[in-house]
């Protein structure tokens, strides 16, 4: 019994000490974990057709904050840059687009892809119709002076082979990209293609491109991906009446679970970015090259805010949520 009383006394003394010590001995505070710095909102920048003009390409990239004065990546870790097409010094059919900076543009874009990745950003380069033409050996619009920059005709042929310094790069490019809810391609994706999904479009591109190249475009495209109605050549969304193509566009976007489609390919001669179908279709080929007026423009998407960027000003593209009635079947466009 005495042992029990002694134990109780010691326990009470210990408890009393804890209360007293709490007032006498300052507690050691554990600092709250530092909150992460608020990251900048994700920024998407898209630029249209370069058409073999390195100087004006750099001017646009600087204007859009993609590169600094040293032409190094300046987009940080919050920017995704999408280049809808490269044109390696070739023309654009009926509009003679001429440029000699194929090699410089290739080297610059490949370098920016690496610099952006190292910084935590991203550069996405997509195939356009003239990349496909060059890979198939179709040089009908290539200037003799551009060919000379490679050294010889054979040197240029070698450069576009799968093992060539340009071919290696192009064979790795996709046909279509989707960043957040925006789909990017060169010409336009019709519902018949969109129904298969973006992954399928890119997988089929890589599966067929080698044969398309080796056969000079005579084989390797059984589905028409590389043809006139495919995603690199189609112009209907830009040129046809809205009441005809906007329902098609909305159907394609629905298949891909996308909000809008951004395309190049069909140049806007006024140097201004084109918005159609209530902002669901945006055309960004404004004629960057000197041949077409050195127009400087880029598209910026931050969250739900879409802006046209020009020298010293921006213009917001707004959508009112308009709907279009379906007036033709999905296959009638093909």
């Amino acid at each position: 019994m005495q042992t029990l009383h002694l134990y109780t006394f010691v326990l009470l003394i210990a408890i009393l000490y804890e209360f007293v010590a709490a007032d006498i001995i300052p507690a050691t505070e554990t600092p709250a974990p530092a909150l992460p710095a608020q990251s900048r909102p994700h920024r998407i920048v898209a630029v249209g057709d370069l058409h073999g003009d390195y100087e004006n390409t750099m001017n646009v990239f600087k204007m859009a904050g993609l590169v600094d004065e040293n032409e190094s990546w300046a987009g940080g870790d919050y920017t995704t840059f999408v280049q809808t097409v490269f044109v390696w010094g070739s023309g654009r059919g009926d509009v003679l687009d001429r440029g000699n900076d194929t090699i410089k543009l290739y080297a610059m874009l490949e370098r920016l892809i690496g610099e952006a990745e190292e910084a935590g950003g991203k550069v996405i380069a997509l195939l356009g119709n003239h990349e496909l033409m060059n890979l198939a050996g179709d040089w009908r619009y290539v200037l003799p002076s551009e060919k000379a920059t490679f050294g010889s005709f054979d040197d240029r042929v070698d450069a576009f082979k799968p093992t060539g310094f340009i071919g290696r790069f192009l064979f790795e490019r996709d046909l279509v990209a989707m960043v957040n809810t925006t789909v990017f391609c060169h010409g336009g994706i019709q519902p018949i293609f969109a129904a298969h999904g973006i992954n399928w479009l890119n997988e089929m591109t890589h599966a067929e491109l080698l044969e398309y190249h080796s056969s000079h475009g005579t084989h390797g495209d059984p589905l028409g991906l590389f043809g006139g109605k495919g995603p690199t050549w189609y112009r209907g969304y830009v040129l046809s009446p809205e009441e005809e193509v906007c329902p098609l566009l909305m159907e394609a976007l629905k298949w891909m679970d996308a909000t809008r489609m951004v395309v190049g390919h069909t140049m806007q001669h006024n140097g201004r970015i084109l918005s159609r179908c209530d902002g669901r279709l945006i055309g960004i080929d404004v004629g960057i090259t000197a041949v077409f007026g050195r127009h400087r423009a880029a598209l910026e998407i931050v969250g739900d805010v879409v802006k046209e960027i020009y020298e010293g000003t921006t213009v917001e593209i707004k959508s009112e949520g308009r709907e279009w009635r379906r007036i033709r079947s999905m296959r009638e466009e093909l």
Side-chain angles (χ1 to χ4, degrees):
M1 182 65 69
Q2 290 181 348
T3 303
L4 181 58
H5 287 311
L6 179 61
Y7 173 78
T8 302
F9 176 74
V10 172
L11 181 60
L12 288 172
I13 292 296
I15 293 173
L16 181 61
Y17 175 79
E18 290 293 330
F19 279 106
V20 174
D23 291 331
I24 299 175
I25 304 174
T28 303
E29 294 184 359
T30 303
L35 294 175
Q38 185 177 7
S39 59
R40 302 190 206 180
H42 183 216
R43 180 177 188 246
I44 306 169
V45 176
V47 175
D49 306 29
L50 304 183
H51 297 309
D53 191 325
Y54 183 89
E55 179 181 356
N56 290 306
T57 293
M58 279 292 104
N59 289 335
V60 173
F61 284 11
K62 291 174 183 177
M63 181 193 74
L66 295 170
V67 301
D68 58 23
E69 289 303 315
N70 296 319
E71 301 182 355
S72 298
W73 175 253
D77 60 355
Y78 68 103
T79 300
T80 296
F81 166 51
V82 184
Q83 176 60 50
T84 62
V85 61
F86 313 123
V87 178
W88 303 113
S90 58
R92 280 188 358 113
D94 56 341
V95 182
L96 296 180
D97 174 11
R98 304 301 186 181
N100 293 315
D101 295 337
T102 296
I103 296 174
K104 289 180 68 176
L105 284 169
Y106 158 76
M108 176 270 294
L109 288 165
E110 187 172 42
R111 172 177 58 80
L112 286 183
I113 287 176
E115 291 180 1
E117 183 176 355
E118 186 175 342
K122 191 172 183 111
V123 172
I124 299 173
L126 299 175
L127 291 169
N129 60 318
H130 280 276
E131 282 68 54
L132 295 174
M133 290 173 67
N134 275 270
L135 288 174
D138 183 349
W139 294 3
R140 76 186 86 168
Y141 302 118
V142 179
L143 284 173
S145 56
E146 192 273 346
K147 297 175 188 176
T149 64
F150 286 81
S152 69
F153 178 90
D154 290 338
D155 289 334
R156 195 179 192 278
V157 171
D158 290 342
F160 281 86
K161 290 179 178 179
T163 56
F165 72 97
I166 290 179
R168 283 197 307 269
F169 184 74
L170 293 182
F171 272 91
E172 294 178 354
R173 300 304 106 200
D174 286 336
L175 202 67
V176 183
M178 185 166 176
V179 184
N180 295 344
T181 61
T182 302
V183 174
F184 298 87
C185 66
H186 182 51
I189 309 169
Q190 297 190 75
I192 189 66
F193 294 118
H196 294 283
I198 290 174
N199 289 339
W200 180 88
L201 290 171
N202 289 329
E203 288 170 1
M204 293 305 299
T205 296
H206 294 298
E208 303 294 346
L209 193 55
L210 186 61
E211 184 178 357
Y212 187 77
H213 162 76
S214 62
S215 68
H216 299 288
T218 60
H219 297 88
D221 188 23
L223 303 172
L225 277 179
F226 307 149
K229 297 291 186 177
T232 67
W233 281 96
Y234 180 63
R235 299 183 191 271
Y237 290 145
V238 175
L239 298 180
S240 297
E242 286 192 323
E243 61 269 19
E244 293 182 10
V245 295
C246 290
L248 290 173
L249 173 69
M250 297 303 289
E251 183 176 346
L253 293 175
K254 185 176 180 179
W255 277 115
M256 296 181 289
D257 196 21
T259 301
R260 67 186 64 84
M261 188 181 299
V262 177
V263 303
H265 189 43
T266 305
M267 191 181 66
Q268 304 306 302
H269 293 271
N270 62 1
R272 308 293 290 187
I273 287 174
L274 174 72
S275 173
R276 303 192 85 199
C277 304
D278 192 29
R280 304 300 186 182
L281 188 284
I282 302 174
I284 59 173
D285 180 5
V286 298
I288 290 174
T289 179
V291 176
F292 295 140
R294 294 187 177 93
H295 299 298
R296 300 179 186 178
L299 185 74
E300 178 188 71
I301 305 172
V302 179
D304 295 328
V305 180
V306 183
K307 291 183 179 180
E308 306 166 26
I309 303 175
Y310 301 105
E311 201 76 57
T313 187
T314 63
V315 178
E316 184 173 351
I317 299 175
K318 296 183 178 181
S319 176
E320 298 177 357
R322 180 180 170 184
E323 298 292 338
W324 280 267
R325 184 173 59 87
R326 190 73 172 88
I327 60 175
R328 60 176 62 189
S329 69
M330 186 173 71
R331 293 182 178 273
E332 283 177 355
E333 282 293 299
L334 297 181

